[in-house]
Amino acid sequence: MAPAARTAVGPMTIVAIEQHEPEPLLRDDLAGRFLPPGARAIAALARVPFVRHAIRSAAERRAPGSWTGVLDRKRFLDDDLTTAVGDGCESVVIPGAGLDDRAYRLPSLAGVPVYEVDLMPNITAKYQRLHALYGTVPPSVTLAPADLTVQDLGDVLAQHGYRPERPTYFLCEALTQYLAEDEVRRMFRFLAGAPLGSRLGLTYIRRDFIDGRHLRFGLEPETVAEFLAEYGWSVRQDLGGGEFARRYGCPADTGRSRSELERVVTAQRR
């Protein structure tokens, strides 16, 4: 399985475990139900405080700040997506959707067409889980298998009924670091044709941390606006660990840290 296909479970496990906190940084009651059995069992065990703290401490040792970073970015993008739909975005496209549950959780997306694009193993897992939970894939959701290392996002969406004239929110969360630069630019050439008023939520790894193997593409806060402007997008916000600490704070005595390795940028089609 490609590395990107294995990354779908980890973030949702973090979210599911977070729900056991007295004051979760992100509220998502569906997260645990979307997990495969093994991860679901781990999340259930994390009801016990010392188990929860042990899991989070181990994650912090491996990648300091990554645990809270997942929660920060998801909470912020939840709010940004809700605002964008209220401002007129008529559809949502999620490349690299993984186990993302926003289409089933956010009231703002009720009836809004959502296109979830991902590698076949992740789409298969999502399909099976949706059938287990709801008996079917909700009619507003389209699951589109694709490998964006070789396929064009626009071509994939066209094959699945996407209407490109509609202002759209494109949610690219934890995706671009697994693509090569030419693959990222191919995706953005499609995004350059999005109608005015479309919005973008994008996470990116800082270029200094790219190893060329597992992590393949990065940007810098100083250059992200220039990169997006090449494709007709203007930055609205660009946030990292420091900004999220000021925005969300931290529950007391949780031993959390934040990192500047990953940032979240939002943008609007000009």
Side-chain angles (χ1 to χ4, degrees), residues 37-77:
R40 206 178 316 144
I42 292 171
L45 286 173
R47 292 179 183 274
V48 181
F50 85 84
V51 174
R52 184 164 69 251
H53 296 157
I55 294 171
R56 188 170 58 236
S57 295
E60 281 288 314
R61 287 193 296 272
R62 288 195 303 271
S66 61
W67 185 283
T68 307
V70 167
L71 302 169
D72 284 338
R73 80 187 190 211
K74 288 186 175 296
R75 178 174 172 177
F76 177 74
L77 290 169

Side-chain angles (χ1 to χ4, degrees), residues 12 34 94 97-104 116-134 136-138 141 143:
M12 195 59 80
F34 272 77
I94 312 179
L99 297 178
D100 191 287
D101 64 357
R102 291 180 175 95
Y104 323 96
E116 299 190 358
V117 182
D118 209 334
L119 295 165
M120 180 61 82
N122 290 344
I123 290 293
T124 300
K126 175 66 76 63
Y127 178 88
Q128 293 170 343
R129 201 70 203 119
L130 290 175
H131 274 260
L133 291 173
Y134 305 115
T136 187
V137 178
V141 175
L143 302 181

Side-chain angles (χ1 to χ4, degrees), residues 46-231:
R47 292 179 183 274
V48 181
F50 85 84
V51 174
R52 184 164 69 251
H53 296 157
I55 294 171
R56 188 170 58 236
S57 295
E60 281 288 314
R61 287 193 296 272
R62 288 195 303 271
S66 61
W67 185 283
T68 307
V70 167
L71 302 169
D72 284 338
R73 80 187 190 211
K74 288 186 175 296
R75 178 174 172 177
F76 177 74
L77 290 169
D78 277 4
D79 292 342
D80 192 65
L81 174 54
T82 294
T83 298
V85 171
D87 289 346
C89 283
E90 299 176 19
S91 57
V92 178
V93 172
I94 312 179
L99 297 178
D100 191 287
D101 64 357
R102 291 180 175 95
Y104 323 96
R105 172 172 57 86
L106 295 182
S108 59
L109 295 188
V112 175
V114 177
Y115 299 84
E116 299 190 358
V117 182
D118 209 334
L119 295 165
M120 180 61 82
N122 290 344
I123 290 293
T124 300
K126 175 66 76 63
Y127 178 88
Q128 293 170 343
R129 201 70 203 119
L130 290 175
H131 274 260
L133 291 173
Y134 305 115
T136 187
V137 178
S140 61
V141 175
T142 299
L143 302 181
D147 182 350
L148 296 180
T149 66
V150 295
Q151 291 177 268
D152 182 271
L153 177 60
D155 292 343
V156 172
L157 291 172
Q159 294 165 11
H160 288 85
Y162 171 69
R163 294 176 57 181
E165 74 277 8
R166 287 180 167 176
T168 298
Y169 191 98
F170 296 95
L171 177 57
C172 303
E173 180 183 4
L175 169 67
T176 58
Q177 63 261 39
Y178 300 112
L179 302 176
E181 181 168 348
D182 62 321
E183 296 158 1
V184 173
R185 289 187 177 277
R186 179 174 60 218
M187 182 174 69
F188 271 91
R189 285 193 292 273
F190 164 69
L191 296 184
L196 298 181
S198 293
R199 300 278 185 88
L200 172 69
L202 170 73
T203 68
Y204 66 93
I205 299 294
R206 297 187 63 152
R207 189 179 293 273
D208 289 350
F209 294 94
I210 298 304
D211 59 17
R213 294 177 293 124
H214 302 303
L215 303 178
R216 304 173 65 197
F217 177 80
L219 292 165
E220 290 295 340
E222 298 79 13
T223 60
V224 66
E226 179 182 357
F227 175 84
L228 293 176
E230 288 183 48
Y231 300 97

